[in-house]
Amino acid sequence: MATKVVMAQLSPTMEEGKLVEWKLAEGDPVSQGDIVAEIETDKANMDVEAMGSGVLRKILVHEGATVPVGTLIGVIADPEEDIEPILAEAAAAEPAGAAPAEEPVVAAPAGEPAPGAATADLPPVAPAARDGRVKASPVARKMAAELGIELGTIPGSGPGGRIIKQDVEAAAAGAEVPAPGAPAAGAAVAGVAAGTPGAAGIVRLPALGEGRLRDERIEASQMRKAIARRLVESIGPVPHFFLTTEIDMERALDLRAELNAGLDGFKIGVTDILLKTAAEALVRHPEVNASWEGDAIHHHGRVDLGIAVALEGGLITPVLRDADRKGLRQIAEETTDLIERARARKLMPEEYQGATFSISNLGMFDIEEFTAIINPPEAAILAIGKTREKPVVEEGEVRVRRRMRVTMSCDHRVVDGATGARFLATFKGMLENPLALVL
Amino acid sequence: MAVITYREALNQALREEMSRDERVFLIGEEVAEYDGAYKVSKGLLEEFGEWRVRDAPIAELGFAGLGVGAAMAGLRPIVEFMSWNFALLAIDQVVNSAAKMHQMSGGQYNVPIVFRGPGGAALMLAAQHSQAPEPWYAYVPGLKVCSPATPYDAKGLLKSAVRDDDPVVFIEGELLYNVKGEVPEEEYVVPIGSADVKRAGSDVTIVAYGKMVHESLAAAERLAAEDGLEAEVVDLRTVRPMDLSTVLESVRKTNRVVVAEEGWPVANVGAQLTDDIQREAFDDLDAPVARVSALDVPMPYARNLEKLVVPSADRIVAAARHVGYIAR
């Protein structure tokens, strides 16, 4: 049987992908689950797995080329099998291929079997092709959206081809964990039967029980809606405004030095201290740890901090989950790992999506002060400048102090000037009296 | 911890509350001299005397009304119906007087009364005496409706009901009086309106109350053994007000729901719960909510037919497999 290799949609915002490298050459044998190629999405480099076994018969997209999501990039089939119908089909689709098709080509049009056995053994895909409607259970839809899986590309094992939770789990497991010989639907049924749904790489973030924050939506008043509308009319989709303050870093830096002296070579970075401080400040100002949702402001029940990391030719924001529940050392360890893997472009989508607030530090580039652009749907981002020694007048004397300038960009629909200022005052106060951070 | 029957647990609750508060009294058919038709009031006449443990004539509307009046006058009556089937004669007092007095008097009179007795089908009692009354009362604003499954919950909930300042409809399981369970020696209450997870599980939520909790637990054991499906059994304990948050927390974990109850399928507790779940947890559902109930007929007298009508662990197992997409 023949299996198509397609440019899969690997993140919700991915519209096209670049073929970085073929791991196999035409004629090489392939087993289901083998990595056949590496592709570059708008966020990271990811592996493409074989969904079937045989021989890599044809490579249609060469290294370095960028093609829309859904494009046929290769064909796996038995050595003797006739793959012409698939190639013809792909060639026919090409002119239209310039714009990504609504339904990727993997969904073989039901009821129009291609001549020969070419597509006969493809796994049954949800009966989407006909009317463009994909049947999926609500939780399957939600999970697929969270995982960046295109529903139309996976088979549905429920009644009438409904895509159910186990199908999404199987697809996620197949896409993320090399699990040779695990046919999507079969593995899923086994997973449920064994009572282990949620295994294999599914990222779900359940409520953590009683915390200091409550996840809640505060319905927007008419005034709030009017403010939002007017501001958007004024300056684009996210109406930014900026608040700048200068923070005395003497005590925070001393604290860091003291901590590191006792840590046997393990280093807590300034950014780690800033993350911890921001998390604590957000707990005290939940109105900043929030998102605009059109008719409501969503106060998030968790503090997930995005950390802007510069990459060659771009940037990415890995997410430190539940920063408010972690100590400095754990924050430092996790952040180090996240940043390393971000630079290696090895982050999974769930590791760089869904922050509630972000921090961008350009101090190492000798930037004294800058404004950062908010990463929607977050409501604010903190831009950190370089800490430098400055003359400061204190009690009538000029003293040299280490000072850091920070600028918070705020989404005015969610955060008003005074709200942001109060948050920043807390942030500043905690850094200037940092002992509480080690609690 | 002492292991006692559901009947004894109720008896302890009555004794403790009558000792604690002298305004509490018990009235009903054969509650005094005969110790109650199901012996729930055993020994109470001897202990508290005929002034506080009163035999009533066979006139449910009359003594239910007497209870409402006594409650308005400052006492805390417990009105026992020998069966909730007989309470249909008194439903006017429960619905039109007890439930509404507080609102209609502009808050001048509250009605701290408990109406209690057995409900649900027992064995071959036929159409008129095999009914699950919970939805009739859960429909009424102003009433609280409890239906405990275990001795522990029966005692703790009845004590809360007696102490509640509003009318509580307390429906005991006719087939549960001999069920045994652990009950602590020390004082405790179970708050009205709180559900309880009787068995933790990850794959399907079974929501039930009263006798169906036991059927659900039996079904859960079978599902674990035969299908590897771990069912979480949520015991509502109180039907109104319903503890939706406990149910939703479970649904968000399992993504699949079966609601099981003894009564008929139309406009029942499961219908309400299903509506709440689809609205509050739509994005967490992996399958439509399944409901298990009695069949939609008056109870047949014939034993073989009765068995077909009464909901069972078998039907819960089938429903759980259905929502779990397990074909057998």
Side-chain angles (χ1 to χ4, degrees):
Chain A
M1 75 174 191
T3 306
K4 297 172 179 179
V5 184
V6 297
M7 181 62 68
Q9 183 173 35
L10 297 169
S11 79
T13 52
M14 174 175 170
E15 291 177 356
E16 57 182 25
K18 178 176 168 186
L19 214 144
V20 176
E21 187 189 353
W22 280 101
K23 304 286 188 190
L24 300 172
E26 281 185 10
D28 284 353
V30 191
S31 296
Q32 181 170 7
D34 285 355
I35 308 298
V36 293
E38 181 178 347
I39 60 175
E40 180 184 317
T41 73
D42 52 344
K43 306 279 190 192
N45 287 7
M46 301 189 80
D47 292 331
V48 177
E49 263 181 50
M51 301 300 280
S53 303
V55 165
L56 181 58
R57 290 279 303 277
K58 186 76 185 167
I59 285 176
L60 290 158
V61 172
H62 294 281
E63 291 177 0
T66 298
V67 293
V69 166
T71 304
L72 185 67
I73 60 176
V75 179
I76 295 167
D78 291 337
E80 309 305 323
E81 199 170 333
D82 178 14
I83 60 167
E84 281 310 314
I86 294 184
L87 300 178
E89 193 188 309
E94 205 148 7
E102 276 295 296
E103 295 302 330
V105 220
V106 267
E112 291 175 47
T119 58
D121 286 327
L122 285 178
V125 164
R130 277 274 176 74
D131 56 2
R133 189 176 159 267
V134 178
K135 279 194 209 165
S137 78
V139 77
R141 273 183 197 283
K142 185 175 77 169
M143 289 169 63
E146 284 168 1
L147 291 163
I149 293 172
E150 182 83 4
L151 277 176
T153 63
I154 63 177
S157 66
R162 180 192 302 154
I163 298 168
I164 58 179
K165 181 182 174 186
Q166 63 196 33
D167 301 326
V168 180
E169 284 172 347
E176 291 168 13
V177 182
V189 172
V192 164
T196 56
I202 299 293
V203 173
R204 304 209 49 202
L205 299 172
L208 287 169
E210 287 298 306
R212 289 183 291 171
L213 289 175
R214 270 182 39 198
D215 194 87
E216 57 180 337
R217 270 167 60 91
I218 293 96
E219 297 301 323
S221 65
Q222 291 308 317
M223 182 178 79
R224 180 48 60 183
K225 286 178 182 170
I227 291 171
R229 197 169 52 243
R230 293 287 298 136
L231 292 167
V232 168
E233 283 167 9
S234 169
I235 61 164
V238 178
H240 288 62
F241 72 93
F242 310 98
L243 299 168
T244 301
T245 189
E246 187 169 292
I247 300 172
D248 192 301
M249 291 295 282
E250 286 294 333
R251 295 184 61 185
L253 294 174
D254 287 349
L255 174 71
R256 171 178 172 244
E258 262 181 70
L259 287 174
N260 283 341
L263 280 180
D264 265 352
F266 182 83
K267 292 284 182 227
I268 288 167
V270 176
T271 302
D272 302 323
I273 291 178
L274 298 178
L275 287 166
K276 173 76 182 169
T277 313
E280 281 303 315
L282 287 169
V283 168
R284 297 181 198 188
H285 299 273
E287 61 278 8
V288 178
N289 192 52
S291 294
W292 177 250
E293 293 189 351
D295 58 352
I297 290 172
H298 187 161
H299 287 188
H300 300 294
R302 314 171 56 124
V303 176
D304 294 334
L305 294 181
I307 309 156
V309 174
L311 299 177
E312 197 67 37
L315 78 138
I316 194 162
T317 52
V319 181
L320 174 70
R321 303 280 171 198
D322 299 311
D324 59 317
R325 292 167 184 256
K326 293 175 178 167
L328 271 173
R329 176 160 191 151
Q330 193 182 356
I331 288 177
E333 284 169 354
E334 290 185 18
T335 304
T336 305
D337 170 59
L338 284 169
I339 292 175
E340 267 174 25
R341 288 191 296 118
R343 291 192 173 131
R345 304 197 183 219
K346 294 295 180 200
L347 291 178
M348 301 308 298
E350 64 273 12
E351 291 178 307
Y352 57 77
Q353 290 169 359
T356 60
F357 181 91
S358 287
I359 284 190
S360 179
N361 186 350
L362 291 182
M364 63 290 266
F365 295 99
D366 214 20
I367 298 298
E368 183 159 10
E369 174 180 347
F370 70 107
T371 58
I373 304 297
I374 292 168
N375 186 17
E378 295 158 44
I381 183 168
L382 209 50
I384 311 288
K386 184 178 178 66
T387 300
R388 59 177 82 226
E389 292 188 328
K390 284 184 183 175
V392 178
V393 178
E394 276 179 350
E395 296 167 9
E397 281 182 47
V398 178
R399 291 175 181 156
V400 176
R401 311 280 288 183
R402 287 173 288 179
R403 308 277 288 184
M404 178 181 80
R405 289 179 77 79
V406 300
T407 298
M408 181 161 79
S409 309
C410 306
D411 179 343
H412 209 327
R413 297 171 298 178
V414 179
V415 178
D416 295 322
T419 320
R422 279 193 291 267
F423 168 83
L424 217 44
T426 301
F427 183 79
K428 176 183 164 94
M430 293 173 77
L431 275 176
E432 293 182 349
N433 297 285
L435 264 190
L437 294 176
V438 298
L439 292 179
Chain B
M1 218 182 295
V3 174
I4 60 172
T5 62
Y6 189 94
R7 178 198 328 275
E8 288 163 338
L10 291 166
N11 180 268
Q12 286 184 1
L14 292 174
R15 175 171 280 111
E16 288 174 19
E17 290 308 298
M18 290 181 76
S19 305
R20 188 187 57 81
D21 185 344
E22 64 178 15
R23 295 171 301 170
V24 178
F25 73 94
L26 177 67
I27 185 168
E29 291 154 5
E30 300 192 307
V31 296
E33 297 287 349
Y34 189 64
D35 281 342
Y38 293 89
K39 306 301 171 199
V40 171
S41 54
K42 190 173 180 182
L44 296 183
L45 173 63
E46 197 179 341
E47 183 166 346
F48 297 101
E50 63 180 11
W51 186 240
R52 293 180 66 197
V53 183
R54 303 290 292 186
D55 274 326
I58 304 177
E60 285 80 6
L61 181 64
F63 67 80
L66 184 151
V68 173
M72 289 171 65
L75 298 180
R76 301 183 84 89
I78 302 169
V79 174
E80 176 176 311
F81 295 121
M82 191 179 286
S83 153
W84 277 97
N85 297 295
F86 306 160
L88 288 173
L89 292 154
I91 201 168
D92 178 60
Q93 280 300 332
V94 180
V95 171
N96 262 339
S97 296
K100 294 172 183 159
M101 189 56 66
H102 192 238
Q103 190 246 26
M104 291 183 74
S105 69
Q108 294 181 81
Y109 291 103
N110 62 316
V111 184
I113 190 169
V114 178
F115 299 103
R116 52 159 288 274
L123 191 65
M124 294 182 72
L125 295 179
Q128 292 169 314
H129 288 174
S130 306
Q131 309 180 86
E134 292 83 1
W136 289 331
Y137 298 99
Y139 178 62
V140 182
L143 294 182
K144 294 169 184 170
V145 182
C146 301
S147 183
T150 64
Y152 178 93
D153 290 340
K155 181 177 177 183
L157 266 176
L158 184 54
K159 287 166 72 79
S160 287
V162 172
R163 297 177 193 191
D164 201 280
D165 285 334
D166 293 308
V168 177
V169 169
F170 197 91
I171 299 166
E172 298 152 14
E174 185 161 343
L175 287 182
L176 298 181
Y177 283 125
N178 286 328
V179 166
K180 288 186 175 169
E182 288 190 337
V183 173
E185 311 288 340
E186 61 274 13
E187 169 92 27
Y188 72 96
V189 295
V190 171
I192 291 174
S194 82
D196 184 42
V197 175
K198 287 285 192 280
R199 181 188 195 277
S202 52
D203 302 329
V204 58
T205 298
I206 304 174
V207 188
Y209 60 88
K211 180 188 152 204
M212 293 310 285
V213 171
H214 300 280
E215 298 293 323
S216 300
L217 289 169
E221 292 311 314
R222 274 189 54 195
L223 288 163
E226 297 172 19
D227 302 288
L229 210 59
E230 290 300 331
E232 180 147 304
V233 177
V234 177
D235 176 3
L236 287 176
R237 302 197 289 196
T238 302
V239 168
R240 181 189 183 108
M242 216 183 280
D243 180 2
L244 198 56
S245 65
T246 298
V247 174
L248 293 174
E249 194 180 320
S250 180
V251 173
R252 297 204 163 103
K253 182 167 68 172
T254 64
N255 309 119
R256 307 168 183 111
V257 194
V258 174
V259 187
E261 66 187 288
E262 283 189 79
W264 294 304
V266 176
N268 64 5
V269 173
Q272 175 61 41
L273 192 57
T274 302
D275 171 63
D276 287 325
I277 292 170
Q278 62 84 21
R279 191 161 0 82
E280 300 295 333
F282 180 77
D283 282 326
D284 293 296
L285 288 176
D286 198 35
V289 175
R291 288 163 54 199
V292 173
S293 65
L295 300 188
D296 198 12
V297 292
M299 187 66 75
Y301 176 61
R303 192 167 184 176
N304 58 338
L305 296 180
E306 182 181 61
K307 247 182 118 171
L308 293 174
V309 171
V310 172
S312 61
D314 282 351
R315 301 233 309 265
I316 297 171
V317 166
R321 285 178 182 154
H322 184 72
V323 299
Y325 299 107
I326 291 176
R328 284 175 77 98

